[in-house]
Amino acid sequence: MLDKFGIAKRIAQELRDGYYVNLGIGIPTLVANYVPEGMEVILQSENGLLGIGPFPYADEVDADLINAGKQTVTTTKGSSFFDSAMSFGMIRSGRVDLTVLGAMEVADNGDIANWKIPGKMVKGMGGAMDLVASAKNIIVAMQHVNKAGESKLLAKCTLPITGLGCVEKVVTELGVFDITPEGFRCVEYAPGVTLDYIKEKTLGRLVIADDVKQMVIG
Amino acid sequence: MLDKFGIAKRIAQELRDGYYVNLGIGIPTLVANYVPEGMEVILQSENGLLGIGPFPYADEVDADLINAGKQTVTTTKGSSFFDSAMSFGMIRSGRVDLTVLGAMEVADNGDIANWKIPGKMVKGMGGAMDLVASAKNIIVAMQHVNKAGESKLLAKCTLPITGLGCVEKVVTELGVFDITPEGFRCVEYAPGVTLDYIKEKTLGRLVIADDVKQMVIG
Amino acid sequence: MLNKIVKNADEAIQDISDGAVLMLGGFGLCGIPENCIAALVRKGVKNLTCISNNAGVDDFGIGLMLKTRQVKKMISSYVGENAEFERQLLSGELEVELIPQGTLATRCMAAGYGMPAIFTPAGVGTEVAQGKEVREFNGKQYLLEHAFNADFAIVKAWKGDTHGNLIFRATSRNFNPLMAMAGKITIAEVEELVPAGELDPDMIHTPGIYVNRIFQGVNYEKRIEQVTTRLKD
Amino acid sequence: MLNKIVKNADEAIQDISDGAVLMLGGFGLCGIPENCIAALVRKGVKNLTCISNNAGVDDFGIGLMLKTRQVKKMISSYVGENAEFERQLLSGELEVELIPQGTLATRCMAAGYGMPAIFTPAGVGTEVAQGKEVREFNGKQYLLEHAFNADFAIVKAWKGDTHGNLIFRATSRNFNPLMAMAGKITIAEVEELVPAGELDPDMIHTPGIYVNRIFQGVNYEKRIEQVTTRLKD
């Protein structure tokens, strides 16, 4: 079974040289720490930055330079700043190669719910609805089950939807699941996890890939 | 009767301090030469410049710096450059205070035709259709009659329309005409021109303002 | 003479009255018009509708106007950083309309570009789509979303000149140039106000035609929500 | 490694084939991609659809591609400066679609911003409106105009870096940044190509994400259509 760092490491294997990538808050942000050596990946922050650098040293902190999680960051060589309309313009027109998001629920048809829990204070969708409606390649990074032990991989989302049929792939502590017309297709299982356990913890339609294999993470 | 410089001088009286103004090609361009002393008027060029300066000295000519008539120009203090979408954005959102255009025909309801003569090579509307559809204050500068001596102030345009009901005022060599629900309202006549002559040369509905007066130009 | 310069924030906002619809630039606390917010609190104007990506924190940004109950309605994409906000929302004192961040940005741009409405896929199939027209283009569904109609846009820039030209810095740009184009009246506060002619015309983000009033702000706090740093090796 | 750099115009355009839809930046002869146009003439690719505000003059700009009969269709706002153009048009060899300049610009922007269509008042009541949907918003009529769909956008910038970031100069900016956002493949030729990190991130007009190929152009002629000057006092 993976921890959150393991999930991030596995998702980092989906990166390709020259990719423009938008990483959501939480586990997705960790993916930036595992970009393979020698590979150049450019991170987009929807508040108006291409080329997010590492956190600043204490004496470099700049209130005008934050990421979409409102954390202080730095730039990299080749960075650019732009306004929020252009930022979502590049998202909407499909220029971002990979988007990694957290989720509360994913349905086996690729629907995603990650912005609102009825009865709880709603903080807002931020850029999530734009991202899921527009990005061409969306990977969800999340825990397979919620705190009550219930599957978050469902036949149908029970929470308010963020976007329809948009998720391509889900990576959880248990494995890697492609969204296919047949539902979640388990292509990899985490070390120490059985396929039976995955079946038990997945409520949506699940198929096991013929060539399913154990995940290898560095 | 006015010459083209007189028409431009009369239109310059419509300028107000701090106005943003778009001047079309031809007589409208001349208006820039008669901005009243002490008044600050900022000229917009729809190819992407606010703050058109005078023509350059010969040793200042810059191929990257032209106006919408493709003539070399200069900037002024406070100029800015922008792309063509923003340029028409500011036009469309009503930020330009005054637009001066030439025309082939104007109808007494404010319709304008100035881009196409059937049977002749059509060069295109350029920005004219955007300007007439969007600008809030449009003055037409033109000759009262065409080369055949026929009125260009009509009940209905005979040439293909550029925009509907958009002209506010027409200034010709004969006088100044506001577009009103009653048609062309002659508010000023040029020196040496009689109201009867104006009536003879105007085909559209024409009313003479009660306080009509002779034009005074510097 | 162009005359856009006002003395300070109090003069800039003096004709904003109860019930006005305001746009306020900024993302989180980054690039917010601190001086104008303080002046709005001093003026005590009420029943405001505020279009702003966020609602500040309890003791900074729009949070200051929430504390004094000046805001009737927030139109935002994310409002999670504010306990007073939550209290007013749950008690029904405050109306909130949540809209996707890209939709918020594009509805500002639409206003500035004279486009009455735009199409976006954001929110299709969600509760955001309720009551909205859905239209298909090339096999994909889009919502019709309308341009905002705000009485005042209040933005913060890094540098500005006496013609109202603005330059923003780093990610404090965010919604500021979009809102600057979108208000019936646009008020800009800047960290540095320079004479016309000192800014490079190629490098201006907001041409002065969009800006009605400008002043040099004072005492910028520029609070940071999450200071994240790394250690020197 | 990001690898957007190509050797020259010939390499940049090598996969443009007969029948392609191209966007070409520039207003008149100002800011046109001279190197790529020359390479397209050398390559002899045919039946092109060219979206460009103008069509060059007889012996420069897109006029060079007209002379060699490479253009099947022009989509422009103003085409008046070209005798060969007129001949081909009148003889029916060339198709021309004339659209308002602001509509042309906004349809490029729409493509770059992922908006399938936009509304503009330009052309309402004119022959431009024929066959188009008219819709009223707030008492004013607008045409629905669709985003362009171009195979390649070819633009000219002043400076560019190895990440594809672009900066334009003066009014040679015009349609270039809009088209740069709008092509399926965007090719940028620049007067000066610098390593990533040398351009100020605040001052970039086109972020590199939109640019697929970039090269340093050579031998810019930058012809002027109308040299207008004044005399020294």
Side-chain angles (χ1 to χ4, degrees):
Chain A
M1 204 172 301
L2 305 177
D3 59 8
K4 63 182 183 176
F5 302 104
I7 294 175
K9 281 182 190 170
R10 176 58 190 80
I11 290 174
Q13 294 175 16
E14 304 293 319
L15 300 171
R16 296 292 173 269
D17 206 12
Y19 259 20
Y20 290 93
V21 178
N22 183 293
L23 300 175
I25 295 167
I27 300 177
T29 302
L30 299 175
V31 174
N33 300 329
Y34 306 110
V35 177
E37 193 94 11
M39 187 180 282
E40 193 166 14
V41 163
I42 296 171
L43 302 177
Q44 199 245 19
S45 192
E46 62 265 29
N47 58 319
L49 168 58
L50 265 176
I52 310 175
F55 291 147
Y57 295 119
D59 57 2
E60 285 178 337
V61 165
D62 180 347
D64 290 337
L65 181 44
I66 64 173
N67 64 18
K70 286 145 194 147
Q71 300 170 310
T72 48
V73 293
T74 56
T75 56
T76 57
K77 284 190 179 181
S79 282
S80 57
F81 296 111
F82 36 84
D83 67 47
S84 301
M86 182 179 269
S87 182
F88 284 94
M90 56 185 71
I91 289 167
R92 231 187 274 118
S93 65
R95 258 63 175 192
V96 175
D97 298 296
L98 175 64
T99 298
V100 185
L101 291 170
M104 300 166 184
E105 295 178 348
V106 175
D108 61 23
N109 65 351
D111 292 355
I112 179 172
N114 70 349
W115 78 283
K116 184 175 182 178
I117 299 176
K120 287 209 183 175
M121 163 74 183
V122 182
K123 298 188 169 188
M125 67 292 281
M129 280 191 185
D130 304 277
L131 282 161
V132 301
S134 306
K136 53 189 178 191
N137 187 9
I138 297 175
I139 299 180
V140 164
M142 68 175 187
Q143 300 300 319
H144 208 97
V145 297
N146 64 19
K147 283 171 188 159
E150 296 158 346
S151 178
K152 296 167 71 175
L153 281 70
L154 305 174
K156 194 171 183 334
C157 292
T158 63
L159 295 171
I161 288 288
T162 310
L164 297 176
C166 48
V167 176
E168 293 274 313
K169 194 186 285 286
V170 182
V171 179
T172 76
E173 76 277 19
L174 302 188
V176 179
F177 306 86
D178 291 342
I179 304 288
T180 70
E182 290 72 44
F184 299 109
R185 184 162 168 276
C186 178
V187 293
E188 294 178 27
Y189 51 91
V193 171
T194 65
L195 292 173
D196 280 342
Y197 187 73
I198 287 174
K199 284 177 192 166
E200 187 192 321
K201 294 298 182 188
T202 304
L203 275 184
R205 288 174 300 148
L206 176 73
V207 294
I208 307 296
D210 291 341
D211 56 349
V212 66
K213 58 179 190 208
Q214 183 171 309
M215 201 183 289
V216 180
I217 54 172
Chain B
M1 204 171 302
L2 305 178
D3 60 8
K4 63 182 182 176
F5 302 103
I7 294 175
K9 280 182 190 170
R10 175 58 190 81
I11 289 174
Q13 294 174 15
E14 304 293 320
L15 299 172
R16 296 291 173 269
D17 206 11
Y19 260 20
Y20 291 92
V21 178
N22 183 295
L23 300 176
I25 295 167
I27 299 177
T29 302
L30 298 175
V31 174
N33 300 328
Y34 305 110
V35 177
E37 192 95 12
M39 187 180 283
E40 193 166 12
V41 164
I42 296 171
L43 302 177
Q44 199 247 19
S45 192
E46 63 265 29
N47 57 319
L49 168 59
L50 264 176
I52 310 175
F55 291 148
Y57 295 119
D59 57 3
E60 285 178 338
V61 167
D62 179 347
D64 289 337
L65 180 44
I66 64 173
N67 64 17
K70 287 148 193 143
Q71 300 171 310
T72 48
V73 293
T74 57
T75 57
T76 57
K77 284 190 179 181
S79 283
S80 56
F81 296 111
F82 35 84
D83 67 47
S84 302
M86 182 179 271
S87 182
F88 284 93
M90 57 185 69
I91 288 166
R92 229 186 276 117
S93 66
R95 259 64 174 191
V96 175
D97 298 295
L98 175 63
T99 298
V100 185
L101 291 169
M104 300 166 182
E105 296 178 348
V106 175
D108 62 22
N109 65 351
D111 291 355
I112 179 172
N114 71 349
W115 78 284
K116 184 174 182 178
I117 300 177
K120 287 209 184 174
M121 164 72 184
V122 182
K123 296 188 169 187
M125 67 293 278
M129 280 191 187
D130 304 276
L131 282 161
V132 300
S134 305
K136 55 190 179 191
N137 186 9
I138 298 175
I139 299 180
V140 164
M142 68 173 186
Q143 299 300 319
H144 208 97
V145 297
N146 63 20
K147 283 170 188 161
E150 297 158 345
S151 179
K152 296 166 72 175
L153 281 71
L154 305 174
K156 194 172 180 339
C157 292
T158 64
L159 295 171
I161 289 288
T162 310
L164 296 176
C166 48
V167 176
E168 293 275 312
K169 194 186 284 286
V170 182
V171 179
T172 75
E173 75 279 19
L174 302 187
V176 178
F177 306 86
D178 291 341
I179 305 288
T180 69
E182 290 73 44
F184 299 108
R185 183 161 169 277
C186 178
V187 293
E188 293 179 27
Y189 51 91
V193 170
T194 65
L195 291 173
D196 281 342
Y197 188 73
I198 287 175
K199 284 177 192 166
E200 188 191 320
K201 294 298 183 189
T202 304
L203 275 184
R205 289 173 301 149
L206 176 72
V207 293
I208 307 296
D210 291 342
D211 56 349
V212 67
K213 57 180 191 206
Q214 183 171 310
M215 202 183 290
V216 179
I217 55 172
Chain C
M1 288 292 298
L2 269 185
N3 194 7
K4 303 188 175 197
I5 299 172
V6 293
K7 219 168 44 237
N8 54 32
D10 298 288
E11 187 183 335
I13 62 133
Q14 66 181 352
D15 57 347
I16 296 182
S17 49
D18 290 357
V21 178
L22 310 183
M23 287 178 162
L24 295 118
F27 176 88
L29 301 179
C30 183
I32 61 174
E34 296 182 17
N35 281 226
C36 284
I37 290 171
L40 286 165
V41 170
R42 278 194 294 275
K43 186 172 160 72
V45 59
K46 292 224 178 322
N47 286 319
L48 299 172
T49 295
C50 293
I51 302 167
S52 186
N53 191 59
N54 311 92
V57 295
D58 275 319
D59 60 346
F60 205 61
I62 293 176
L64 297 170
M65 294 159 66
L66 289 165
K67 204 188 271 183
T68 48
R69 311 277 190 85
Q70 294 176 263
V71 181
K72 182 182 69 179
K73 181 176 181 178
M74 284 299 313
I75 299 176
S76 301
S77 88
Y78 192 82
V79 293
E81 269 98 36
N82 196 312
E84 173 64 15
F85 182 96
E86 186 165 350
R87 194 197 61 70
Q88 290 184 26
L89 179 61
L90 296 177
S91 72
E93 291 165 65
L94 181 66
E95 245 181 285
V96 177
E97 186 181 340
L98 291 171
I99 60 182
Q101 195 175 329
T103 303
L104 184 71
T106 314
R107 288 174 67 187
C108 293
M109 187 179 76
Y113 276 24
M115 302 191 295
I118 55 100
F119 292 102
T120 176
V124 169
T126 75
E127 62 182 57
V128 165
Q130 280 168 19
K132 286 179 190 157
E133 180 176 329
V134 179
R135 182 156 175 168
E136 193 170 303
F137 293 93
N138 307 314
K140 188 174 166 92
Q141 292 194 311
Y142 296 83
L143 298 184
L144 181 75
E145 297 274 8
H146 293 265
F148 283 121
N149 197 357
D151 299 314
F152 293 87
I154 305 176
V155 304
K156 150 79 170 50
W158 179 41
K159 291 187 181 179
D161 72 16
T162 51
H163 276 218
N165 294 305
L166 304 179
I167 295 178
F168 303 92
R169 187 171 171 278
T171 57
S172 71
R173 192 183 317 185
N174 55 65
F175 289 85
N176 280 301
L178 303 167
M179 291 179 171
M181 298 189 297
K184 281 197 206 70
I185 302 281
T186 293
I187 298 167
E189 57 176 85
V190 301
E191 288 183 57
E192 191 186 350
L193 183 62
V194 301
E198 292 209 357
L199 302 180
D200 180 346
D202 275 325
M203 299 306 167
I204 285 163
H205 297 130
T206 298
I209 193 171
Y210 285 113
V211 176
N212 302 90
R213 302 172 195 168
I214 189 166
F215 68 95
Q216 171 140 0
V218 293
N219 302 327
Y220 282 103
E221 182 177 341
K222 294 214 215 176
R223 198 182 296 184
I224 298 173
E225 280 180 77
Q226 292 191 50
V227 179
T228 43
T229 57
R230 60 181 162 147
L231 296 173
K232 301 244 181 194
D233 299 327
Chain D
M1 288 292 298
L2 267 186
N3 194 6
K4 303 188 175 195
I5 299 171
V6 292
K7 218 167 45 238
N8 55 31
D10 297 288
E11 187 184 334
I13 62 133
Q14 65 182 351
D15 56 346
I16 297 183
S17 49
D18 289 358
V21 178
L22 311 184
M23 288 178 162
L24 295 118
F27 177 89
L29 301 179
C30 183
I32 60 174
E34 297 184 17
N35 281 226
C36 283
I37 290 171
L40 286 165
V41 170
R42 277 194 295 276
K43 185 172 161 70
V45 60
K46 292 223 178 321
N47 287 318
L48 300 172
T49 295
C50 292
I51 302 167
S52 185
N53 191 58
N54 310 93
V57 295
D58 276 319
D59 60 346
F60 205 61
I62 293 176
L64 297 170
M65 293 160 66
L66 289 165
K67 205 187 270 182
T68 47
R69 310 277 189 84
Q70 294 176 263
V71 182
K72 181 183 70 180
K73 182 174 181 179
M74 284 298 313
I75 299 176
S76 302
S77 89
Y78 193 82
V79 294
E81 269 98 36
N82 196 313
E84 173 63 16
F85 182 98
E86 186 165 351
R87 194 197 62 69
Q88 290 183 25
L89 179 61
L90 296 175
S91 72
E93 291 165 64
L94 180 67
E95 245 180 284
V96 177
E97 186 180 340
L98 291 171
I99 59 182
Q101 194 174 329
T103 303
L104 184 71
T106 313
R107 289 174 65 188
C108 293
M109 187 179 76
Y113 276 24
M115 302 192 294
I118 55 101
F119 292 102
T120 175
V124 169
T126 76
E127 60 183 58
V128 164
Q130 279 168 19
K132 287 179 188 155
E133 180 176 327
V134 179
R135 182 155 175 168
E136 193 170 303
F137 293 92
N138 309 313
K140 188 173 167 92
Q141 293 193 310
Y142 296 83
L143 298 185
L144 181 76
E145 297 274 9
H146 292 265
F148 283 122
N149 197 357
D151 299 312
F152 292 87
I154 305 176
V155 304
K156 150 79 170 51
W158 180 40
K159 292 187 181 180
D161 72 16
T162 51
H163 277 217
N165 294 304
L166 304 178
I167 295 178
F168 304 92
R169 186 170 171 278
T171 56
S172 72
R173 191 182 319 185
N174 56 64
F175 289 85
N176 281 301
L178 303 167
M179 291 179 170
M181 297 189 298
K184 280 196 206 70
I185 302 281
T186 293
I187 298 167
E189 56 175 87
V190 301
E191 289 184 55
E192 191 186 348
L193 183 62
V194 302
E198 292 208 358
L199 302 179
D200 180 346
D202 275 325
M203 298 308 168
I204 285 163
H205 297 129
T206 298
I209 194 172
Y210 285 112
V211 175
N212 302 91
R213 302 172 195 168
I214 189 167
F215 68 95
Q216 170 140 0
V218 293
N219 302 326
Y220 281 104
E221 180 177 341
K222 295 213 213 177
R223 199 184 295 185
I224 298 173
E225 280 181 75
Q226 291 191 51
V227 179
T228 45
T229 58
R230 60 181 163 148
L231 297 172
K232 301 245 181 194
D233 299 326

